mmCIF file of all heavy atoms in Angstrom:
data_model
loop_
_atom_site.group_PDB
_atom_site.id
_atom_site.type_symbol
_atom_site.label_atom_id
_atom_site.label_comp_id
_atom_site.label_asym_id
_atom_site.label_seq_id
_atom_site.Cartn_x
_atom_site.Cartn_y
_atom_site.Cartn_z
ATOM 1 N N GLY A 1 -3.800 6.787 -1.556
ATOM 2 C CA GLY A 1 -4.628 7.944 -1.864
ATOM 3 C C GLY A 1 -5.410 7.785 -3.274
ATOM 4 O O GLY A 1 -5.452 6.634 -3.868
ATOM 5 N N LEU A 2 -5.967 8.831 -3.764
ATOM 6 C CA LEU A 2 -6.871 8.787 -4.866
ATOM 7 C C LEU A 2 -6.114 8.269 -6.083
ATOM 8 O O LEU A 2 -6.673 7.532 -6.965
ATOM 9 C CB LEU A 2 -7.419 10.214 -5.022
ATOM 10 C CG LEU A 2 -8.519 10.308 -6.171
ATOM 11 C CD1 LEU A 2 -9.708 9.345 -5.850
ATOM 12 C CD2 LEU A 2 -9.144 11.726 -6.093
ATOM 13 N N PHE A 3 -4.875 8.721 -6.339
ATOM 14 C CA PHE A 3 -4.111 8.274 -7.433
ATOM 15 C C PHE A 3 -3.038 7.326 -7.035
ATOM 16 O O PHE A 3 -2.010 7.288 -7.701
ATOM 17 C CB PHE A 3 -3.611 9.495 -8.239
ATOM 18 C CG PHE A 3 -4.618 10.286 -8.875
ATOM 19 C CD1 PHE A 3 -5.105 11.514 -8.289
ATOM 20 C CD2 PHE A 3 -5.158 9.917 -10.153
ATOM 21 C CE1 PHE A 3 -6.155 12.243 -8.905
ATOM 22 C CE2 PHE A 3 -6.193 10.688 -10.718
ATOM 23 C CZ PHE A 3 -6.626 11.874 -10.113
ATOM 24 N N GLY A 4 -3.201 6.815 -5.861
ATOM 25 C CA GLY A 4 -2.288 5.928 -5.339
ATOM 26 C C GLY A 4 -2.070 4.607 -6.046
ATOM 27 O O GLY A 4 -2.958 4.091 -6.558
ATOM 28 N N ALA A 5 -0.916 3.995 -5.778
ATOM 29 C CA ALA A 5 -0.662 2.668 -6.319
ATOM 30 C C ALA A 5 0.462 2.012 -5.389
ATOM 31 O O ALA A 5 0.978 2.739 -4.512
ATOM 32 C CB ALA A 5 -0.085 2.724 -7.727
ATOM 33 N N LEU A 6 0.753 0.741 -5.656
ATOM 34 C CA LEU A 6 1.732 0.019 -4.830
ATOM 35 C C LEU A 6 3.058 0.729 -4.946
ATOM 36 O O LEU A 6 3.824 0.759 -3.943
ATOM 37 C CB LEU A 6 1.794 -1.435 -5.378
ATOM 38 C CG LEU A 6 0.721 -2.301 -4.968
ATOM 39 C CD1 LEU A 6 0.985 -3.630 -5.610
ATOM 40 C CD2 LEU A 6 0.387 -2.317 -3.510
ATOM 41 N N SER A 7 3.354 1.364 -6.027
ATOM 42 C CA SER A 7 4.686 2.074 -6.232
ATOM 43 C C SER A 7 4.807 3.114 -5.132
ATOM 44 O O SER A 7 5.972 3.470 -4.724
ATOM 45 C CB SER A 7 4.762 2.686 -7.619
ATOM 46 O OG SER A 7 3.695 3.519 -7.829
ATOM 47 N N ASN A 8 3.819 3.669 -4.650
ATOM 48 C CA ASN A 8 3.858 4.726 -3.569
ATOM 49 C C ASN A 8 4.492 4.148 -2.272
ATOM 50 O O ASN A 8 5.068 4.934 -1.486
ATOM 51 C CB ASN A 8 2.390 5.238 -3.203
ATOM 52 C CG ASN A 8 1.734 5.897 -4.378
ATOM 53 O OD1 ASN A 8 2.041 5.705 -5.603
ATOM 54 N ND2 ASN A 8 0.840 6.773 -4.052
ATOM 55 N N PHE A 9 4.346 2.909 -2.083
ATOM 56 C CA PHE A 9 4.743 2.338 -0.760
ATOM 57 C C PHE A 9 5.952 1.347 -0.929
ATOM 58 O O PHE A 9 6.270 0.591 0.083
ATOM 59 C CB PHE A 9 3.568 1.608 -0.131
ATOM 60 C CG PHE A 9 2.437 2.490 0.372
ATOM 61 C CD1 PHE A 9 1.094 2.165 -0.007
ATOM 62 C CD2 PHE A 9 2.679 3.575 1.079
ATOM 63 C CE1 PHE A 9 0.035 3.032 0.360
ATOM 64 C CE2 PHE A 9 1.673 4.400 1.600
ATOM 65 C CZ PHE A 9 0.354 4.094 1.222
ATOM 66 N N THR A 10 6.563 1.265 -2.058
ATOM 67 C CA THR A 10 7.603 0.326 -2.327
ATOM 68 C C THR A 10 8.594 0.344 -1.236
ATOM 69 O O THR A 10 9.037 -0.713 -0.609
ATOM 70 C CB THR A 10 8.175 0.435 -3.700
ATOM 71 O OG1 THR A 10 7.267 0.373 -4.629
ATOM 72 C CG2 THR A 10 9.329 -0.524 -3.973
ATOM 73 N N GLU A 11 9.220 1.500 -1.020
ATOM 74 C CA GLU A 11 10.329 1.524 0.013
ATOM 75 C C GLU A 11 9.922 1.306 1.387
ATOM 76 O O GLU A 11 10.592 0.739 2.214
ATOM 77 C CB GLU A 11 10.930 3.040 -0.046
ATOM 78 C CG GLU A 11 11.642 3.310 -1.320
ATOM 79 C CD GLU A 11 12.827 2.526 -1.648
ATOM 80 O OE1 GLU A 11 13.514 2.080 -0.645
ATOM 81 O OE2 GLU A 11 13.219 2.317 -2.785
ATOM 82 N N LEU A 12 8.632 1.737 1.737
ATOM 83 C CA LEU A 12 8.029 1.501 3.071
ATOM 84 C C LEU A 12 7.864 0.052 3.218
ATOM 85 O O LEU A 12 8.172 -0.525 4.307
ATOM 86 C CB LEU A 12 6.740 2.298 3.142
ATOM 87 C CG LEU A 12 6.304 2.643 4.567
ATOM 88 C CD1 LEU A 12 5.282 3.808 4.505
ATOM 89 C CD2 LEU A 12 5.459 1.406 5.226
ATOM 90 N N ILE A 13 7.326 -0.675 2.264
ATOM 91 C CA ILE A 13 7.092 -2.128 2.487
ATOM 92 C C ILE A 13 8.357 -2.901 2.659
ATOM 93 O O ILE A 13 8.606 -3.665 3.568
ATOM 94 C CB ILE A 13 6.317 -2.668 1.213
ATOM 95 C CG1 ILE A 13 4.963 -2.137 1.039
ATOM 96 C CG2 ILE A 13 6.145 -4.227 1.298
ATOM 97 C CD1 ILE A 13 4.209 -2.339 -0.217
ATOM 98 N N HIS A 14 9.311 -2.431 1.736
ATOM 99 C CA HIS A 14 10.703 -3.243 1.796
ATOM 100 C C HIS A 14 11.328 -3.067 3.148
ATOM 101 O O HIS A 14 11.963 -3.990 3.651
ATOM 102 C CB HIS A 14 11.618 -2.612 0.780
ATOM 103 C CG HIS A 14 12.927 -3.238 0.696
ATOM 104 N ND1 HIS A 14 13.110 -4.562 0.291
ATOM 105 C CD2 HIS A 14 14.123 -2.712 0.967
ATOM 106 C CE1 HIS A 14 14.404 -4.754 0.388
ATOM 107 N NE2 HIS A 14 15.137 -3.778 0.740
ATOM 108 N N PHE A 15 11.179 -1.913 3.775
ATOM 109 C CA PHE A 15 11.874 -1.542 5.060
ATOM 110 C C PHE A 15 11.125 -2.219 6.174
ATOM 111 O O PHE A 15 11.672 -2.982 6.996
ATOM 112 C CB PHE A 15 11.895 -0.085 5.290
ATOM 113 C CG PHE A 15 12.612 0.290 6.608
ATOM 114 C CD1 PHE A 15 13.954 0.453 6.607
ATOM 115 C CD2 PHE A 15 11.847 0.487 7.759
ATOM 116 C CE1 PHE A 15 14.551 0.812 7.820
ATOM 117 C CE2 PHE A 15 12.431 0.840 9.026
ATOM 118 C CZ PHE A 15 13.780 0.983 9.051
ATOM 119 N N PHE A 16 9.834 -2.126 6.267
ATOM 120 C CA PHE A 16 8.993 -2.568 7.471
ATOM 121 C C PHE A 16 8.682 -4.016 7.521
ATOM 122 O O PHE A 16 8.226 -4.533 8.489
ATOM 123 C CB PHE A 16 7.837 -1.622 7.620
ATOM 124 C CG PHE A 16 8.153 -0.348 8.321
ATOM 125 C CD1 PHE A 16 8.365 0.812 7.502
ATOM 126 C CD2 PHE A 16 8.349 -0.213 9.686
ATOM 127 C CE1 PHE A 16 8.805 2.008 8.114
ATOM 128 C CE2 PHE A 16 8.664 0.968 10.240
ATOM 129 C CZ PHE A 16 8.895 2.144 9.531
ATOM 130 N N LYS A 17 8.768 -4.705 6.329
ATOM 131 C CA LYS A 17 8.380 -6.108 6.304
ATOM 132 C C LYS A 17 9.433 -6.923 7.235
ATOM 133 O O LYS A 17 9.065 -8.078 7.570
ATOM 134 C CB LYS A 17 8.351 -6.643 4.942
ATOM 135 C CG LYS A 17 9.684 -6.787 4.184
ATOM 136 C CD LYS A 17 9.512 -7.322 2.857
ATOM 137 C CE LYS A 17 10.885 -7.514 2.210
ATOM 138 N NZ LYS A 17 10.748 -8.163 0.794
ATOM 139 N N ARG A 18 10.458 -6.329 7.582
ATOM 140 C CA ARG A 18 11.443 -6.951 8.475
ATOM 141 C C ARG A 18 10.983 -6.963 9.934
ATOM 142 O O ARG A 18 11.381 -7.758 10.752
ATOM 143 C CB ARG A 18 12.794 -6.304 8.329
ATOM 144 C CG ARG A 18 13.506 -6.465 7.104
ATOM 145 C CD ARG A 18 14.756 -5.669 7.087
ATOM 146 N NE ARG A 18 14.532 -4.231 6.985
ATOM 147 C CZ ARG A 18 15.549 -3.272 7.052
ATOM 148 N NH1 ARG A 18 16.759 -3.672 7.321
ATOM 149 N NH2 ARG A 18 15.338 -1.993 6.901
ATOM 150 N N TYR A 19 10.034 -6.065 10.250
ATOM 151 C CA TYR A 19 9.607 -5.839 11.607
ATOM 152 C C TYR A 19 8.107 -6.039 11.832
ATOM 153 O O TYR A 19 7.655 -6.171 12.972
ATOM 154 C CB TYR A 19 9.995 -4.419 12.109
ATOM 155 C CG TYR A 19 11.368 -4.032 11.734
ATOM 156 C CD1 TYR A 19 11.721 -3.164 10.723
ATOM 157 C CD2 TYR A 19 12.392 -4.473 12.562
ATOM 158 C CE1 TYR A 19 12.979 -2.816 10.433
ATOM 159 C CE2 TYR A 19 13.742 -4.062 12.330
ATOM 160 C CZ TYR A 19 14.065 -3.297 11.232
ATOM 161 O OH TYR A 19 15.284 -2.964 11.032
ATOM 162 N N ASN A 20 7.329 -5.889 10.848
ATOM 163 C CA ASN A 20 5.827 -5.935 10.943
ATOM 164 C C ASN A 20 5.234 -6.684 9.760
ATOM 165 O O ASN A 20 5.921 -7.162 8.802
ATOM 166 C CB ASN A 20 5.296 -4.551 10.834
ATOM 167 C CG ASN A 20 5.700 -3.617 11.929
ATOM 168 O OD1 ASN A 20 6.696 -3.021 11.814
ATOM 169 N ND2 ASN A 20 4.960 -3.555 13.004
ATOM 170 N N LYS A 21 3.976 -7.158 9.975
ATOM 171 C CA LYS A 21 3.186 -7.740 8.853
ATOM 172 C C LYS A 21 2.665 -6.507 8.096
ATOM 173 O O LYS A 21 1.705 -5.890 8.617
ATOM 174 C CB LYS A 21 2.006 -8.614 9.482
ATOM 175 C CG LYS A 21 1.143 -9.209 8.325
ATOM 176 C CD LYS A 21 0.050 -10.051 8.921
ATOM 177 C CE LYS A 21 0.686 -11.275 9.423
ATOM 178 N NZ LYS A 21 -0.362 -12.183 10.016
ATOM 179 N N VAL A 22 3.211 -6.249 7.002
ATOM 180 C CA VAL A 22 2.836 -5.027 6.247
ATOM 181 C C VAL A 22 1.623 -5.517 5.329
ATOM 182 O O VAL A 22 1.817 -6.389 4.403
ATOM 183 C CB VAL A 22 3.990 -4.470 5.429
ATOM 184 C CG1 VAL A 22 3.538 -3.319 4.609
ATOM 185 C CG2 VAL A 22 5.172 -4.169 6.307
ATOM 186 N N VAL A 23 0.427 -4.762 5.454
ATOM 187 C CA VAL A 23 -0.649 -5.091 4.638
ATOM 188 C C VAL A 23 -1.126 -3.892 3.818
ATOM 189 O O VAL A 23 -1.186 -2.762 4.358
ATOM 190 C CB VAL A 23 -1.784 -5.461 5.598
ATOM 191 C CG1 VAL A 23 -3.133 -5.801 4.929
ATOM 192 C CG2 VAL A 23 -1.407 -6.613 6.577
ATOM 193 N N VAL A 24 -1.317 -4.174 2.535
ATOM 194 C CA VAL A 24 -1.783 -3.106 1.694
ATOM 195 C C VAL A 24 -3.077 -3.533 0.979
ATOM 196 O O VAL A 24 -3.073 -4.336 0.077
ATOM 197 C CB VAL A 24 -0.850 -2.717 0.679
ATOM 198 C CG1 VAL A 24 -1.240 -1.403 -0.113
ATOM 199 C CG2 VAL A 24 0.625 -2.482 1.207
ATOM 200 N N PRO A 25 -4.241 -3.158 1.525
ATOM 201 C CA PRO A 25 -5.539 -3.557 0.848
ATOM 202 C C PRO A 25 -5.689 -2.723 -0.416
ATOM 203 O O PRO A 25 -5.318 -1.483 -0.388
ATOM 204 C CB PRO A 25 -6.565 -3.179 1.860
ATOM 205 C CG PRO A 25 -6.038 -2.160 2.731
ATOM 206 C CD PRO A 25 -4.570 -2.433 2.788
ATOM 207 N N MET A 26 -6.032 -3.276 -1.502
ATOM 208 C CA MET A 26 -6.336 -2.493 -2.748
ATOM 209 C C MET A 26 -7.726 -1.902 -2.664
ATOM 210 O O MET A 26 -8.711 -2.533 -2.895
ATOM 211 C CB MET A 26 -6.286 -3.583 -3.939
ATOM 212 C CG MET A 26 -5.063 -4.464 -4.088
ATOM 213 S SD MET A 26 -3.606 -3.569 -4.584
ATOM 214 C CE MET A 26 -2.690 -3.547 -3.089
ATOM 215 N N LEU A 27 -7.723 -0.692 -2.251
ATOM 216 C CA LEU A 27 -8.983 0.004 -2.069
ATOM 217 C C LEU A 27 -9.655 0.233 -3.436
ATOM 218 O O LEU A 27 -8.978 0.658 -4.402
ATOM 219 C CB LEU A 27 -8.719 1.423 -1.427
ATOM 220 C CG LEU A 27 -8.229 1.385 -0.088
ATOM 221 C CD1 LEU A 27 -7.865 2.856 0.465
ATOM 222 C CD2 LEU A 27 -9.135 0.675 0.891
ATOM 223 N N PRO A 28 -10.894 -0.112 -3.598
ATOM 224 C CA PRO A 28 -11.656 -0.157 -4.854
ATOM 225 C C PRO A 28 -12.165 1.325 -5.215
ATOM 226 O O PRO A 28 -13.285 1.512 -5.421
ATOM 227 C CB PRO A 28 -12.768 -1.094 -4.658
ATOM 228 C CG PRO A 28 -13.074 -0.947 -3.198
ATOM 229 C CD PRO A 28 -11.792 -0.700 -2.474
ATOM 230 N N LEU A 29 -11.154 2.226 -5.289
ATOM 231 C CA LEU A 29 -11.525 3.624 -5.468
ATOM 232 C C LEU A 29 -12.372 3.794 -6.650
ATOM 233 O O LEU A 29 -13.383 4.729 -6.614
ATOM 234 C CB LEU A 29 -10.222 4.508 -5.512
ATOM 235 C CG LEU A 29 -9.258 4.480 -4.467
ATOM 236 C CD1 LEU A 29 -8.087 5.353 -4.745
ATOM 237 C CD2 LEU A 29 -9.865 4.894 -3.068
ATOM 238 N N LEU A 30 -12.099 3.194 -7.725
ATOM 239 C CA LEU A 30 -12.806 3.443 -8.997
ATOM 240 C C LEU A 30 -13.595 2.256 -9.500
ATOM 241 O O LEU A 30 -14.059 2.117 -10.599
ATOM 242 C CB LEU A 30 -11.789 3.795 -10.114
ATOM 243 C CG LEU A 30 -10.837 5.011 -9.725
ATOM 244 C CD1 LEU A 30 -9.782 5.233 -10.766
ATOM 245 C CD2 LEU A 30 -11.623 6.341 -9.494
ATOM 246 N N ASP A 31 -13.797 1.213 -8.552
ATOM 247 C CA ASP A 31 -14.639 0.082 -8.908
ATOM 248 C C ASP A 31 -15.850 -0.081 -8.213
ATOM 249 O O ASP A 31 -16.601 -1.069 -8.586
ATOM 250 C CB ASP A 31 -13.658 -1.131 -8.581
ATOM 251 C CG ASP A 31 -12.414 -1.165 -9.467
ATOM 252 O OD1 ASP A 31 -12.445 -0.804 -10.680
ATOM 253 O OD2 ASP A 31 -11.288 -1.482 -8.891
ATOM 254 N N MET A 32 -16.101 0.694 -7.186
ATOM 255 C CA MET A 32 -17.438 0.603 -6.553
ATOM 256 C C MET A 32 -18.484 1.328 -7.357
ATOM 257 O O MET A 32 -18.240 2.112 -8.257
ATOM 258 C CB MET A 32 -17.339 1.304 -5.106
ATOM 259 C CG MET A 32 -16.419 0.670 -4.220
ATOM 260 S SD MET A 32 -16.519 1.369 -2.553
ATOM 261 C CE MET A 32 -15.966 3.045 -2.711
ATOM 262 N N ASP A 33 -19.752 0.926 -7.114
ATOM 263 C CA ASP A 33 -20.842 1.573 -7.854
ATOM 264 C C ASP A 33 -20.923 3.012 -7.413
ATOM 265 O O ASP A 33 -20.470 3.358 -6.263
ATOM 266 C CB ASP A 33 -22.185 0.965 -7.600
ATOM 267 C CG ASP A 33 -22.623 1.008 -6.228
ATOM 268 O OD1 ASP A 33 -23.240 2.028 -5.892
ATOM 269 O OD2 ASP A 33 -22.562 -0.095 -5.476
ATOM 270 N N ILE A 34 -21.461 3.878 -8.215
ATOM 271 C CA ILE A 34 -21.346 5.341 -8.017
ATOM 272 C C ILE A 34 -21.985 5.776 -6.675
ATOM 273 O O ILE A 34 -21.514 6.709 -6.049
ATOM 274 C CB ILE A 34 -21.938 6.165 -9.150
ATOM 275 C CG1 ILE A 34 -21.539 7.663 -9.102
ATOM 276 C CG2 ILE A 34 -23.474 5.977 -9.182
ATOM 277 C CD1 ILE A 34 -20.057 7.890 -9.233
#
C-alpha cells in the first residue's frame, strides 16, 4: 500500500515461499513523475 514496505509482508513471504514463487515488485509510489 501507500505506506507499505517489505516489512508488511515478512511473515507472508516466509510462509508461502515453501509453496509458491512469492514475488514482491517495489511499486514506485513516490518515484514516478507527478
Side-chain angles (χ1 to χ4, degrees):
L2 189 53
F3 292 99
L6 287 179
S7 58
N8 296 25
F9 292 130
T10 299
E11 296 293 333
L12 201 157
I13 298 168
H14 180 67
F15 182 87
F16 281 97
K17 70 179 183 179
R18 294 176 286 173
Y19 310 102
N20 297 87
K21 179 181 288 183
V22 183
V23 180
V24 190
M26 308 287 108
L27 298 177
L29 302 178
L30 306 175
D31 298 320
M32 295 188 295
D33 66 78
I34 195 67

